[in-house]
Amino acid sequence: MTESNLAVEAEQRLAAGDHAAALTLYLRAWNRPDDEVAERVFDLISDWADIGAALNTIEAAARAGNAAAYEALAELLVELERPKEALAALRAAADGGRDVTLMIASILADELGDREQAEEYYRRALADDHPRALNDYGAFLSEDDERLDEAVELLSRAIERGDEMAAGNLGRLLADEERYEEALPWLRRALDAGHRSVLAVLGETENALGELESARVHLREALAEEITGAHFAYALHLAETGSPEEAVRHYEAAAKEDGETNAYLNLALLHEELERWTQADRHYREALAHQDETAYVYYAQFLADQDRGDEIAALLTAAAELDLDEEDMEELRELAEESRSGTS
Protein backbone atom coordinates (compact mmCIF):
# COMPACT_ATOMS: atom_id res chain seq x y z
CA MET A 1 0.00 0.00 0.00
CA THR A 2 1.38 3.44 -0.94
CA GLU A 3 2.12 6.20 1.54
CA SER A 4 -0.89 8.25 0.42
CA ASN A 5 -3.24 5.25 0.66
CA LEU A 6 -1.96 4.43 4.14
CA ALA A 7 -2.56 8.02 5.22
CA VAL A 8 -6.09 7.99 3.80
CA GLU A 9 -6.89 4.74 5.62
CA ALA A 10 -5.41 6.19 8.81
CA GLU A 11 -7.73 9.19 8.55
CA GLN A 12 -10.69 6.86 8.13
CA ARG A 13 -9.70 4.84 11.19
CA LEU A 14 -9.21 8.05 13.19
CA ALA A 15 -12.63 9.33 12.13
CA ALA A 16 -14.08 6.04 13.39
CA GLY A 17 -12.40 6.60 16.76
CA ASP A 18 -9.76 3.88 16.41
CA HIS A 19 -6.69 5.84 17.51
CA ALA A 20 -4.39 2.84 17.78
CA ALA A 21 -5.07 1.63 14.25
CA ALA A 22 -4.78 5.16 12.86
CA LEU A 23 -1.46 5.73 14.61
CA THR A 24 -0.06 2.42 13.37
CA LEU A 25 -1.02 3.31 9.79
CA TYR A 26 0.41 6.82 10.02
CA LEU A 27 3.70 5.38 11.27
CA ARG A 28 3.81 3.06 8.26
CA ALA A 29 3.16 6.04 5.97
CA TRP A 30 5.82 8.23 7.59
CA ASN A 31 8.79 7.96 5.23
CA ARG A 32 10.44 11.35 5.59
CA PRO A 33 11.15 12.94 9.00
CA ASP A 34 9.77 16.38 8.05
CA ASP A 35 6.81 15.48 5.85
CA GLU A 36 3.18 16.29 6.64
CA VAL A 37 2.56 12.76 7.91
CA ALA A 38 4.91 13.58 10.80
CA GLU A 39 2.57 16.40 11.82
CA ARG A 40 -0.39 14.03 11.74
CA VAL A 41 1.44 11.50 13.90
CA PHE A 42 2.20 14.03 16.62
CA ASP A 43 -1.17 15.75 16.37
CA LEU A 44 -2.82 12.38 16.91
CA ILE A 45 -0.62 11.61 19.92
CA SER A 46 -1.34 15.05 21.36
CA ASP A 47 -5.09 14.73 20.87
CA TRP A 48 -5.28 11.17 22.16
CA ALA A 49 -6.29 11.34 25.80
CA ASP A 50 -4.44 8.12 26.67
CA ILE A 51 -0.67 8.67 26.50
CA GLY A 52 -0.03 5.19 27.86
CA ALA A 53 -2.01 3.61 25.05
CA ALA A 54 -0.21 5.78 22.48
CA LEU A 55 3.14 4.72 23.92
CA ASN A 56 2.18 1.04 23.79
CA THR A 57 1.00 1.37 20.17
CA ILE A 58 4.24 3.05 19.08
CA GLU A 59 6.39 0.52 20.96
CA ALA A 60 4.53 -2.35 19.26
CA ALA A 61 5.11 -0.80 15.84
CA ALA A 62 8.79 -0.31 16.67
CA ARG A 63 9.21 -3.92 17.79
CA ALA A 64 7.64 -4.98 14.49
CA GLY A 65 10.55 -3.32 12.69
CA ASN A 66 9.14 0.13 11.83
CA ALA A 67 12.10 2.54 12.09
CA ALA A 68 9.76 5.54 11.94
CA ALA A 69 8.07 4.26 15.08
CA TYR A 70 11.37 4.44 16.93
CA GLU A 71 11.68 8.10 15.95
CA ALA A 72 8.13 8.83 17.15
CA LEU A 73 8.85 6.87 20.32
CA ALA A 74 11.90 9.03 20.98
CA GLU A 75 9.87 12.23 20.58
CA LEU A 76 7.28 11.00 23.07
CA LEU A 77 9.89 9.80 25.55
CA VAL A 78 11.51 13.24 25.52
CA GLU A 79 8.13 14.76 26.36
CA LEU A 80 7.84 12.25 29.19
CA GLU A 81 11.30 13.30 30.45
CA ARG A 82 12.89 9.94 29.72
CA PRO A 83 15.84 11.09 27.58
CA LYS A 84 18.07 8.03 27.97
CA GLU A 85 15.31 5.80 26.63
CA ALA A 86 14.68 8.34 23.86
CA LEU A 87 18.35 8.17 22.88
CA ALA A 88 18.20 4.37 22.71
CA ALA A 89 15.09 4.59 20.51
CA LEU A 90 16.81 7.03 18.15
CA ARG A 91 19.82 4.76 17.80
CA ALA A 92 17.45 1.95 16.89
CA ALA A 93 15.82 4.27 14.35
CA ALA A 94 19.25 5.03 12.87
CA ASP A 95 19.97 1.30 12.62
CA GLY A 96 16.74 1.06 10.63
CA GLY A 97 17.86 3.72 8.17
CA ARG A 98 16.24 6.85 9.63
CA ASP A 99 18.16 10.13 9.41
CA VAL A 100 18.10 11.07 13.10
CA THR A 101 21.64 12.40 13.58
CA LEU A 102 20.48 15.90 14.50
CA MET A 103 17.82 14.57 16.87
CA ILE A 104 20.47 12.51 18.67
CA ALA A 105 22.67 15.60 18.90
CA SER A 106 19.80 17.64 20.31
CA ILE A 107 18.94 15.13 23.04
CA LEU A 108 22.59 14.78 24.01
CA ALA A 109 22.94 18.56 24.25
CA ASP A 110 19.60 19.64 25.70
CA GLU A 111 18.27 16.75 27.76
CA LEU A 112 21.46 14.92 28.79
CA GLY A 113 23.89 17.87 28.87
CA ASP A 114 26.62 15.93 27.07
CA ARG A 115 27.87 18.75 24.85
CA GLU A 116 31.06 16.98 23.83
CA GLN A 117 29.26 13.97 22.39
CA ALA A 118 26.52 16.19 20.98
CA GLU A 119 29.10 18.10 18.99
CA GLU A 120 30.33 14.87 17.44
CA TYR A 121 26.84 14.29 16.05
CA TYR A 122 26.45 17.89 14.88
CA ARG A 123 29.75 17.56 13.02
CA ARG A 124 28.62 14.26 11.53
CA ALA A 125 25.42 15.88 10.24
CA LEU A 126 27.49 18.75 8.83
CA ALA A 127 29.82 16.32 7.05
CA ASP A 128 26.78 14.53 5.60
CA ASP A 129 25.52 17.91 4.33
CA HIS A 130 22.26 17.60 6.22
CA PRO A 131 20.04 20.54 5.19
CA ARG A 132 19.51 21.72 8.78
CA ALA A 133 23.00 20.99 10.09
CA LEU A 134 24.40 24.52 9.70
CA ASN A 135 21.49 26.08 11.58
CA ASP A 136 21.28 23.48 14.34
CA TYR A 137 25.03 23.38 14.92
CA GLY A 138 25.16 27.18 14.89
CA ALA A 139 22.33 27.38 17.44
CA PHE A 140 24.18 24.84 19.59
CA LEU A 141 27.40 26.88 19.53
CA SER A 142 25.51 30.10 20.27
CA GLU A 143 25.04 28.79 23.82
CA ASP A 144 28.81 28.89 24.36
CA ASP A 145 30.04 32.46 24.98
CA GLU A 146 33.54 31.51 23.83
CA ARG A 147 32.37 30.25 20.43
CA LEU A 148 29.97 32.93 19.28
CA ASP A 149 32.07 33.81 16.23
CA GLU A 150 31.80 30.21 15.03
CA ALA A 151 28.06 30.28 15.64
CA VAL A 152 27.66 33.48 13.61
CA GLU A 153 29.67 31.97 10.74
CA LEU A 154 27.58 28.77 10.65
CA LEU A 155 24.26 30.60 10.88
CA SER A 156 25.33 33.03 8.16
CA ARG A 157 26.16 30.12 5.87
CA ALA A 158 22.78 28.57 6.64
CA ILE A 159 21.04 31.83 5.70
CA GLU A 160 22.98 31.93 2.44
CA ARG A 161 21.51 28.50 1.68
CA GLY A 162 18.00 29.84 2.29
CA ASP A 163 17.42 28.61 5.85
CA GLU A 164 15.15 31.31 7.28
CA MET A 165 15.10 29.68 10.71
CA ALA A 166 18.81 30.45 10.87
CA ALA A 167 17.97 34.13 10.36
CA GLY A 168 15.92 33.98 13.56
CA ASN A 169 18.70 32.22 15.46
CA LEU A 170 21.29 34.73 14.27
CA GLY A 171 18.99 37.56 15.31
CA ARG A 172 18.57 36.01 18.77
CA LEU A 173 22.33 35.62 19.18
CA LEU A 174 22.97 39.24 18.25
CA ALA A 175 20.15 40.50 20.48
CA ASP A 176 21.55 38.51 23.41
CA GLU A 177 24.84 40.33 22.82
CA GLU A 178 22.90 43.63 22.75
CA ARG A 179 23.88 44.16 19.11
CA TYR A 180 20.34 45.24 18.42
CA GLU A 181 20.86 47.15 15.18
CA GLU A 182 22.51 44.07 13.65
CA ALA A 183 19.85 41.74 15.06
CA LEU A 184 16.80 43.65 13.82
CA PRO A 185 16.88 42.82 10.07
CA TRP A 186 17.47 39.10 10.71
CA LEU A 187 14.60 38.90 13.17
CA ARG A 188 12.27 40.70 10.79
CA ARG A 189 13.35 38.40 7.96
CA ALA A 190 12.60 35.34 10.10
CA LEU A 191 9.17 36.72 11.01
CA ASP A 192 8.39 37.49 7.37
CA ALA A 193 9.24 33.85 6.61
CA GLY A 194 6.64 32.71 9.14
CA HIS A 195 8.80 31.95 12.17
CA ARG A 196 6.53 33.42 14.82
CA SER A 197 8.75 32.26 17.69
CA VAL A 198 10.94 35.35 17.16
CA LEU A 199 8.14 37.75 18.13
CA ALA A 200 9.28 38.23 21.73
CA VAL A 201 12.94 38.88 20.94
CA LEU A 202 11.93 41.06 17.98
CA GLY A 203 9.78 43.20 20.31
CA GLU A 204 12.61 43.35 22.83
CA THR A 205 15.00 44.49 20.09
CA GLU A 206 12.62 47.13 18.77
CA ASN A 207 12.09 48.38 22.30
CA ALA A 208 15.84 48.71 22.82
CA LEU A 209 16.12 50.70 19.59
CA GLY A 210 13.26 53.05 20.53
CA GLU A 211 10.78 51.66 18.01
CA LEU A 212 8.16 51.55 20.73
CA GLU A 213 4.97 51.17 18.70
CA SER A 214 6.33 48.22 16.71
CA ALA A 215 7.67 46.72 19.93
CA ARG A 216 4.27 46.98 21.61
CA VAL A 217 2.50 45.34 18.67
CA HIS A 218 4.93 42.46 18.41
CA LEU A 219 5.10 41.86 22.15
CA ARG A 220 1.33 41.74 22.44
CA GLU A 221 1.23 39.25 19.57
CA ALA A 222 3.86 37.18 21.37
CA LEU A 223 1.74 37.21 24.53
CA ALA A 224 -1.37 36.17 22.61
CA GLU A 225 0.53 33.26 21.11
CA GLU A 226 2.03 32.32 24.50
CA ILE A 227 5.60 32.54 23.22
CA THR A 228 8.21 31.92 25.90
CA GLY A 229 9.92 35.15 26.94
CA ALA A 230 6.99 37.38 26.01
CA HIS A 231 6.01 38.26 29.58
CA PHE A 232 9.54 39.33 30.53
CA ALA A 233 10.12 41.36 27.35
CA TYR A 234 6.72 43.06 27.63
CA ALA A 235 7.31 43.86 31.31
CA LEU A 236 10.60 45.48 30.37
CA HIS A 237 8.81 47.55 27.73
CA LEU A 238 6.09 48.58 30.18
CA ALA A 239 8.56 49.54 32.90
CA GLU A 240 10.49 51.70 30.47
CA THR A 241 7.39 53.40 29.07
CA GLY A 242 5.84 54.43 32.37
CA SER A 243 3.53 51.55 33.29
CA PRO A 244 5.19 50.01 36.37
CA GLU A 245 2.02 48.46 37.84
CA GLU A 246 1.30 46.50 34.67
CA ALA A 247 4.99 45.65 34.39
CA VAL A 248 4.85 44.04 37.84
CA ARG A 249 2.08 41.69 36.69
CA HIS A 250 4.04 40.56 33.67
CA TYR A 251 7.28 40.09 35.60
CA GLU A 252 5.33 37.92 38.04
CA ALA A 253 3.99 35.88 35.12
CA ALA A 254 7.50 35.60 33.69
CA ALA A 255 8.77 34.18 36.97
CA LYS A 256 5.86 31.82 37.65
CA GLU A 257 4.85 30.69 34.16
CA ASP A 258 8.11 30.91 32.21
CA GLY A 259 10.60 30.19 34.99
CA GLU A 260 12.43 33.46 34.22
CA THR A 261 14.57 33.88 37.34
CA ASN A 262 15.86 37.31 36.25
CA ALA A 263 12.33 38.59 36.83
CA TYR A 264 12.78 38.52 40.61
CA LEU A 265 15.45 41.22 40.59
CA ASN A 266 13.41 43.35 38.20
CA LEU A 267 10.40 42.95 40.49
CA ALA A 268 12.49 44.03 43.48
CA LEU A 269 13.69 47.13 41.65
CA LEU A 270 10.18 48.04 40.53
CA HIS A 271 8.72 47.64 44.01
CA GLU A 272 11.58 49.71 45.38
CA GLU A 273 10.77 52.41 42.83
CA LEU A 274 7.14 52.25 43.99
CA GLU A 275 8.31 52.49 47.64
CA ARG A 276 6.88 49.10 48.51
CA TRP A 277 9.71 48.11 50.78
CA THR A 278 8.35 44.76 52.03
CA GLN A 279 7.66 43.48 48.51
CA ALA A 280 11.03 44.73 47.30
CA ASP A 281 12.80 42.92 50.12
CA ARG A 282 10.95 39.69 49.40
CA HIS A 283 11.83 39.74 45.71
CA TYR A 284 15.47 40.56 46.41
CA ARG A 285 15.59 37.47 48.59
CA GLU A 286 13.91 35.41 45.86
CA ALA A 287 16.53 36.64 43.38
CA LEU A 288 19.30 35.53 45.74
CA ALA A 289 17.59 32.17 46.30
CA HIS A 290 17.68 31.67 42.52
CA GLN A 291 21.40 32.53 42.51
CA ASP A 292 21.05 35.75 40.57
CA GLU A 293 24.55 37.10 41.20
CA THR A 294 23.58 40.53 39.92
CA ALA A 295 21.17 40.91 42.83
CA TYR A 296 23.79 41.02 45.59
CA VAL A 297 25.02 44.57 45.07
CA TYR A 298 21.50 45.90 44.46
CA TYR A 299 20.22 44.24 47.62
CA ALA A 300 23.16 45.50 49.66
CA GLN A 301 22.45 49.06 48.53
CA PHE A 302 18.77 48.55 49.35
CA LEU A 303 19.71 47.38 52.86
CA ALA A 304 21.96 50.39 53.32
CA ASP A 305 19.21 52.75 52.17
CA GLN A 306 16.79 51.08 54.59
CA ASP A 307 19.17 51.55 57.54
CA ARG A 308 19.74 47.80 57.66
CA GLY A 309 23.44 47.95 56.92
CA ASP A 310 24.22 45.45 59.68
CA GLU A 311 22.76 42.74 57.40
CA ILE A 312 25.28 43.38 54.59
CA ALA A 313 28.06 41.40 56.29
CA ALA A 314 26.05 38.19 56.03
CA LEU A 315 25.28 39.04 52.41
CA LEU A 316 29.00 39.49 51.76
CA THR A 317 29.75 36.07 53.23
CA ALA A 318 27.11 34.40 51.04
CA ALA A 319 28.43 36.20 47.96
CA ALA A 320 31.99 35.04 48.66
CA GLU A 321 30.83 31.43 48.67
CA LEU A 322 29.44 31.93 45.15
CA ASP A 323 32.76 33.24 43.83
CA LEU A 324 31.10 36.50 42.79
CA ASP A 325 32.78 38.83 40.31
CA GLU A 326 35.62 40.69 42.05
CA GLU A 327 34.28 44.11 41.09
CA ASP A 328 30.93 43.26 42.69
CA MET A 329 32.70 41.84 45.74
CA GLU A 330 34.65 45.06 46.17
CA GLU A 331 31.45 47.09 46.01
CA LEU A 332 29.87 44.83 48.62
CA ARG A 333 32.91 45.26 50.88
CA GLU A 334 32.67 49.04 50.57
CA LEU A 335 28.96 49.00 51.46
CA ALA A 336 29.62 46.73 54.43
CA GLU A 337 32.43 49.00 55.63
CA GLU A 338 30.29 52.11 55.24
CA SER A 339 27.59 50.45 57.34
CA ARG A 340 30.04 49.59 60.08
CA SER A 341 31.40 53.13 60.14
CA GLY A 342 27.93 54.65 59.98
CA THR A 343 28.59 56.58 56.74
CA SER A 344 26.04 54.85 54.51
Side-chain angles (χ1 to χ4, degrees):
M1 189 178 294
T2 66
E3 175 185 328
S4 59
N5 288 339
L6 286 167
V8 169
E9 185 177 345
E11 290 170 13
Q12 292 171 347
R13 294 294 185 91
L14 186 58
D18 192 342
H19 291 81
L23 180 55
T24 301
L25 288 163
Y26 274 137
L27 290 169
R28 287 175 58 195
W30 185 16
N31 290 325
R32 298 181 306 280
D34 296 321
D35 64 16
E36 65 178 28
V37 176
E39 294 183 18
R40 296 179 189 176
V41 167
F42 296 112
D43 285 345
L44 188 157
I45 294 171
S46 178
D47 293 340
W48 197 353
D50 193 338
I51 292 297
L55 189 62
N56 290 336
T57 300
I58 298 170
E59 287 175 333
R63 287 194 299 271
N66 186 336
Y70 278 112
E71 185 174 344
L73 178 60
E75 294 266 13
L76 186 53
L77 288 168
V78 168
E79 292 296 320
L80 295 173
E81 298 183 358
R82 295 159 60 180
K84 290 184 179 178
E85 294 172 71
L87 189 59
L90 284 176
R91 286 178 169 148
D95 290 342
R98 299 289 286 189
D99 180 8
V100 292
T101 306
L102 285 174
M103 286 184 65
I104 290 174
S106 176
I107 288 176
L108 285 166
D110 299 333
E111 275 71 36
L112 296 174
D114 188 342
R115 291 184 64 83
E116 183 175 346
Q117 193 175 3
E119 185 159 8
E120 292 180 16
Y121 278 89
Y122 281 121
R123 287 185 177 277
R124 186 182 302 177
L126 199 62
D128 291 342
D129 202 28
H130 191 289
R132 290 203 327 270
L134 287 165
N135 171 70
D136 289 13
Y137 189 22
F140 168 78
L141 291 180
S142 72
E143 298 172 4
D144 185 341
D145 290 342
E146 296 182 358
R147 302 183 69 181
L148 295 181
D149 289 344
E150 291 177 72
V152 168
E153 191 268 335
L154 288 166
L155 292 170
S156 297
R157 284 168 56 193
I159 294 168
E160 289 173 3
R161 291 191 177 191
D163 190 336
E164 301 299 341
M165 185 177 291
N169 285 328
L170 180 56
R172 285 190 183 91
L173 184 160
L174 294 168
D176 285 344
E177 292 296 295
E178 298 184 0
R179 295 161 60 180
Y180 296 115
E181 289 187 1
E182 296 173 70
L184 187 60
W186 298 119
L187 294 169
R188 285 180 170 166
R189 174 168 168 172
L191 182 61
D192 288 344
H195 296 291
R196 307 284 291 174
S197 64
V198 303
L199 276 168
V201 69
L202 173 57
E204 176 189 343
T205 298
E206 290 169 331
N207 184 69
L209 293 173
E211 299 187 20
L212 302 182
E213 188 55 41
S214 293
R216 187 176 299 109
V217 169
H218 288 134
L219 290 169
R220 285 177 175 171
E221 289 178 1
L223 285 169
E225 297 179 31
E226 299 183 348
I227 293 171
T228 300
H231 283 294
F232 188 89
Y234 191 44
L236 187 65
H237 170 75
L238 291 167
E240 292 179 355
T241 54
S243 301
E245 296 284 1
E246 193 176 356
V248 164
R249 291 196 294 275
H250 284 281
Y251 277 133
E252 288 174 345
K256 294 174 184 176
E257 297 174 23
D258 298 338
E260 180 56 73
T261 57
N262 290 337
Y264 293 112
L265 175 57
N266 290 39
L267 278 167
L269 294 169
L270 266 181
H271 281 298
E272 187 174 355
E273 178 184 326
L274 294 167
E275 299 184 359
R276 296 171 181 166
W277 314 124
T278 301
Q279 292 96 320
D281 185 84
R282 175 166 57 86
H283 289 304
Y284 274 126
R285 291 180 180 276
E286 286 176 326
L288 297 182
H290 287 86
Q291 297 188 330
D292 185 341
E293 296 183 1
T294 311
Y296 279 86
V297 171
Y298 283 106
Y299 189 35
Q301 186 61 63
F302 172 81
L303 291 172
D305 293 342
Q306 293 292 306
D307 295 325
R308 294 166 56 191
D310 56 321
E311 298 178 41
I312 299 176
L315 199 62
L316 181 59
T317 300
E321 292 175 358
L322 283 180
D323 194 24
L324 207 64
D325 178 85
E326 182 54 36
E327 187 175 332
D328 288 342
M329 288 298 296
E330 183 58 32
E331 194 165 350
L332 282 172
R333 292 188 196 101
E334 289 177 4
L335 286 166
E337 181 59 32
E338 287 172 3
S339 323
R340 283 193 293 269
S341 62
T343 59
S344 60

